[in-house]
Every structure is written in structure tokens, then in C-alpha cells.
Amino acid sequence: MTLFSIEAPATIQVAGPRPLVIGIDSSLTSLGIASPDSADALRWNHDDKGHARIEWLRTEVLDRTKRADLVVIEGPSYGSKMLPGQHETAGLWWILTHELWRKGIPYAVASPHNRTIYATGSAFPAKDQPKEKRARIAKGMVHTFVVEKLGIWCEGGGKYDASDAATLAAMGMDWLGYPLVDLPQQQRRALDSVHWPTQTVAVAQ
């Protein structure tokens, strides 16, 4: 078993087997989930949007993370206005992170700004665009980074959620010393303010 010390700076290259990092962009309507090689969006297509949807998402996420050495999940956007459904969305986030904690799978929490900085170098990469278009344009820039720089296919419904998750997975790989792409410090500085796990990340050979 190879141990990845979480005390080591992200610039240190860790010798050993390639770890499995899973990125999660938690959402009730389109949950992005990705590995270093692929990305997907989980979308519930039934009328029952209560416990049945949450249970399906929980089951899917746990199945896809059961062999993960590290999970990087996007944290809440505290600057957003309280909208209908956010109470349930927060519940899903806590259910997922609690299950990871219960199963002993280390997880990190990255803010939306961390993710955008890693992909584009700026927390507000579309600030010069019309206000009503900025969020969509920024999402598109992250998507472009994932497709063109990481080489991960993200298309169809939920493509932006999938690309967000892929960026989170890439951040985790970088932090462990297995960067998927060589990035300038302007982008890698995003790693400095992620809430990384406090336990040692272990990868079985």
C-alpha cells in the first residue's frame, strides 16, 4: 500500500500507482461525476422528485466512488440567493459526504471559485461580458478546458455539470502529485484554498 501524505505540497510528485480520484458536482437535477478519464451527468427522469431521487443519486454515487482513493466534491455557493429546492439540495450534499465519511473515503471540498480558477485562471473569467451572460460563458470556458486540455468528452445534457466534475477530479489528481495537465501557477493556486482531507490518502497496489 502506498501512502499519499496530505501534508506534502501539491508540487511534489508522489511515486507509486496512479490513484483514482472522483470529482462530484452535486445537484438534484444533473449531478456531475467524473474520474481522471471520463465524465458523466446523473439525471433523474421520473416524476417522483423526493426520497426516490435522492436514494437513486446516493446509490449511484456510492457505487462509482467505492474504489476511490480521494473524492473532490464542490461545496455550496454561499453567495447565491436562497431558491426553492436548495434545502433539499443541501440535504443531498450532506448525505453524500456523510456516506463517504462513514465508508472512510477521504473527500475534499472545493468552492465553485476554486474550480473556475483551476480551469481558467480567474474566479470571474467572463467579468467583461454582459452580467446576464457571465455565468453561462464561464461554464463554457470550464467546459472548453476539460475537452481541449484534459481530453475528456463532455457533451449532451448535463455537459457543464460533467465538465465541472472533471475539473474537480483533475484538481485532486494534481494535489496528489499526478497532474493531468501542466498548468501555470495562476491556475494551480486554486489548490491552495481547497479544504483537503486531514487523514492520509492510501492507495493499495
Side-chain angles (χ1 to χ4, degrees), residues 176-194:
L176 287 177
Y178 289 79
L180 301 182
V181 63
D182 186 21
L183 296 176
Q185 184 56 31
Q186 179 71 9
Q187 290 172 246
R188 293 191 71 251
R189 64 189 172 95
L191 302 176
D192 297 338
S193 53
V194 172

Side-chain angles (χ1 to χ4, degrees):
M1 177 175 290
T2 300
L3 299 181
F4 297 89
S5 171
I6 62 91
E7 301 298 333
T11 53
I12 291 180
Q13 295 292 320
V14 183
R18 188 173 187 251
L20 173 60
V21 178
I22 300 295
I24 300 174
D25 178 21
S26 182
S27 168
L28 288 166
T29 57
S30 183
L31 186 148
I33 188 164
S35 72
D37 304 306
S38 63
D40 193 10
L42 304 179
R43 312 183 85 185
W44 178 251
N45 296 315
H46 304 281
D47 293 333
D48 185 351
K49 296 181 179 179
H51 288 288
R53 176 169 64 175
I54 288 178
E55 178 60 17
W56 178 74
L57 290 170
R58 185 192 72 86
T59 301
E60 285 290 323
V61 168
L62 289 181
D63 182 63
R64 297 177 189 225
T65 58
K66 62 187 177 184
R67 294 185 177 86
D69 301 300
L70 174 67
V71 171
V72 183
I73 187 168
E74 185 165 302
S77 177
Y78 291 110
S80 300
K81 295 180 180 180
M82 189 66 177
L83 299 172
Q86 285 191 323
H87 177 68
E88 188 178 357
T89 299
L92 172 64
W93 191 92
W94 279 106
I95 286 170
L96 296 180
T97 55
H98 180 74
E99 288 285 3
L100 294 171
W101 172 82
R102 191 173 68 84
K103 293 182 179 299
I105 300 173
Y107 72 88
V109 181
S111 73
H113 285 172
N114 296 149
R115 178 249 301 151
T116 306
I117 291 170
Y118 191 80
T120 71
S122 172
F124 304 99
K127 62 183 179 180
D128 295 332
Q129 300 298 320
K131 186 175 181 180
E132 66 277 8
K133 296 181 180 180
R134 290 173 188 170
R136 188 73 174 179
I137 292 173
K139 284 283 190 181
M141 294 171 74
V142 174
H143 177 260
T144 298
F145 164 78
V146 169
V147 173
E148 296 185 359
K149 296 295 185 180
L150 302 184
I152 298 176
W153 184 90
C154 295
E155 295 300 333
K159 67 180 182 181
Y160 292 146
D161 308 297
S163 60
D164 283 353
T167 303
L168 296 170
M171 292 170 69
M173 292 293 290
D174 195 342
W175 181 71
L176 287 177
Y178 289 79
L180 301 182
V181 63
D182 186 21
L183 296 176
Q185 184 56 31
Q186 179 71 9
Q187 290 172 246
R188 293 191 71 251
R189 64 189 172 95
L191 302 176
D192 297 338
S193 53
V194 172
H195 186 183
W196 297 107
T198 56
Q199 70 266 54
T200 299
V201 178
V203 180
Q205 297 192 55

